[in-house]
Amino acid sequence: MLDESLLDDPESLARADRRGLLRGAAEAGARVRTAARHATEAGLAEIRPEGRPRAVLIAGPGTAASGVADLLTALAGAACPVTRLRSSGVAPAAGALRWTLPGWAGSVDLLLLVTTDGAEPGLALLAEQAYRRGCTVVAVAPQRSPLSESVGGVHGLVVPMAVAPYEEYDETAASAGPGALWALLTPLLVLLDRVGLATAPPDTLRLVADRLDRTAERCGPAIATYSNPAKTLAAELADSLPLIWTEGAYAGPPGRRFAAVLAELAGRPALAAELPEALPAHGVLLAGAFAAGADPEDFFRDRVDEAQALHARVVLLRDRPVGGISAAPAARELALSHDTAISELEPDEGSELENLAELLAITDFAAVYLSLASAGRS
C-alpha cells in the first residue's frame, strides 16, 4: 500500500530516502554537465574519425547499462546497428560475470564498456579480447577502479564516471538510480556525435541539462502532489499493475526503463510495450483478472485483512508521432472500454534528446516516490 500522506511531507521523504535517490534525480542535470566535461577532458570531443563504425557493441551490468544500450539503439537509428552483449555467470556479482565478443567483431567495430562499479574482471577480459581483435574500446567507469586502470592507455580510452562529491556507493542505487544513467550515457553521446551516429553537440547537451533541471523543479519533494507530475503518477500507480504503452521513436526506451526501475527500486511489477503492438499484447489483461472490476471471489467476503488486488492501469508515454499518425486514440478507447484508468505523459517542445530527458526524469522521480511511499519500503 502507498502512504500518500508521505508524498506531501518533504521531511519524511528525506528521512525515508536513505539511498539518496531523490537527490540523485534532482542532480541529473548537473551530472550531465560534469559528464560532458569529463568526456572533453578525456579527449572524446577531439576525435577525428575516419568513418562510422560498422557496429557498436555495449557491455556492462545492471539497469543503467541496459538503459544506456536501449537509448543509444534508438538514437543511432538506422545509421549503425547497436548490440548489447549479454553477460553470463553463476551470480549477479562483479567477479562472476563474463562477456564474450561475437565472432564477427573486428577492427571496424566499436566496443563501449559502461559500469557503475568498475571491479568486473569480465569487462577487463573483454577489453583485452577486443584489443587483440583490433576493436576500438571506450569505457565509462569510476575513476581509479580496476577497470579504469586495466583499460586506460593500453586497451582503450577511459572516461571517469561523473559522481557527486557526497556520493557513497550503494549497489542498488548506483545501478538503477537516476544519476547513474546520465553519468554513463552522456560521454557516449559525445562520442557518438563525433563519429556521426547521433546528434549531441555541446549546445544540445546544455539544453538537455537545463530541461532536466526544470523537470527536477517541477517534480521536487517540496512541490505538492496536485501540481507535481511525478508524485501524481506515483499516487495513480498505487496498488496497480502498470501497463506502460509508448508511442514515438524515442518514447520506447524511457518506457522500458520505467518498468525496470519500478521493479528494482519500488518492487513493483510492470509491463512495457510499444503502440500499436501493445493493444493486442496487453488487451486480455484489461479484461481478465487484472481488469478494474475483476473480483474472482464472493463480493460479501471480509476483506479487512486482505491485501488489495492489483488492477491494470495504462501509462501512456508519447513522443510526438511523425506525420500525425497516432495509435493513442485507439489506446484510450481500449482502456476506457474496460473501465481502466489511463495516465498520460508527453514532453514539451524540444529536440529528441530533450524530450527523452523529460520523460526519463519524470518517470525516474515517480519510481523513487513510489519506492519511498510504499508500505514497508521506508
Side-chain angles (χ1 to χ4, degrees):
M1 295 181 62
L2 190 78
D3 181 3
E4 293 193 31
S5 65
L6 186 68
L7 291 177
D8 286 325
D9 186 344
E11 293 183 0
S12 295
L13 282 171
R15 286 194 299 270
D17 190 15
R18 301 185 184 94
R19 293 178 289 175
L21 296 174
L22 279 175
R23 185 160 52 182
E27 294 181 349
R31 197 73 66 102
V32 168
R33 297 183 184 94
T34 302
R37 186 176 70 250
H38 287 180
T40 300
E41 293 170 351
L44 289 185
E46 305 302 322
I47 288 178
R48 298 289 187 270
E50 296 180 358
R52 292 178 176 177
R54 177 182 61 178
V56 176
L57 305 171
I58 303 178
T63 302
S66 177
V68 166
D70 201 8
L71 288 162
L72 293 185
T73 299
L75 291 169
C80 177
V82 179
T83 302
R84 186 191 179 199
L85 303 181
R86 302 294 176 179
S87 62
S88 60
V90 297
L97 298 176
R98 293 292 183 270
W99 291 262
T100 303
L101 281 179
W104 49 261
S107 59
V108 292
D109 302 312
L110 173 62
L111 174 64
L112 307 177
L113 307 178
V114 289
T115 173
T116 59
D117 189 333
E120 303 91 348
L123 289 180
L125 292 172
L126 181 66
E128 184 178 346
Q129 182 186 8
Y131 175 74
R132 290 197 304 267
R133 294 218 207 155
C135 295
T136 300
V137 179
V138 176
V140 184
Q143 197 168 23
R144 293 185 294 276
S145 64
L147 181 65
S148 295
E149 294 172 359
S150 64
V151 174
V154 179
H155 297 140
L157 178 66
V158 176
V159 180
M161 176 182 164
V163 296
Y166 61 83
E167 192 168 65
E168 296 181 1
Y169 179 73
D170 177 282
E171 185 174 353
T172 302
S175 176
L181 177 74
W182 290 106
L184 297 177
L185 177 64
T186 304
L188 302 183
L189 292 176
V190 175
L191 173 62
L192 263 60
D193 180 74
R194 295 302 301 167
V195 300
L197 298 181
T199 303
D203 288 346
T204 296
L205 292 180
R206 282 193 286 271
L207 290 174
V208 167
D210 292 343
R211 178 73 71 92
L212 288 169
D213 287 344
R214 291 197 299 272
T215 306
E217 292 176 359
R218 295 168 55 207
C219 298
I223 305 301
T225 298
Y226 68 86
S227 59
N228 185 320
K231 287 184 179 180
T232 298
L233 182 57
E236 290 171 346
L237 293 183
D239 303 314
S240 73
L241 172 67
L243 302 181
I244 303 167
W245 295 351
T246 64
E247 182 173 59
Y250 302 102
R256 288 185 286 272
R257 173 175 165 80
F258 189 29
V261 296
L262 280 174
E264 191 163 341
L265 295 183
R268 297 298 186 97
L271 298 173
E274 297 186 21
L275 292 175
E277 289 83 359
L279 303 184
H282 293 168
V284 176
L285 290 171
L286 302 182
F290 295 101
D295 191 356
E297 302 295 338
D298 179 26
F299 177 80
F300 296 101
R301 76 184 188 278
D302 185 6
R303 294 174 173 80
V304 173
D305 296 324
E306 294 183 8
Q308 186 171 344
L310 291 179
H311 296 308
R313 184 183 184 98
V314 172
V315 179
L316 181 57
L317 304 184
R318 299 185 67 209
D319 191 15
R320 285 171 175 75
V322 177
I325 300 174
S326 174
R332 298 186 190 103
E333 182 179 355
L334 177 63
L336 296 178
S337 68
H338 292 289
D339 296 321
T340 300
I342 184 168
S343 305
E344 297 192 37
L345 289 179
E346 184 172 322
D348 294 334
E349 292 283 355
S351 66
E352 297 163 355
L353 275 175
E354 289 177 87
N355 293 345
L356 271 173
E358 183 173 335
L359 290 176
L360 286 166
I362 294 175
T363 52
D364 274 348
F365 266 106
V368 171
Y369 284 127
L370 197 58
S371 171
L372 299 179
S374 295
R377 299 292 293 180
S378 60

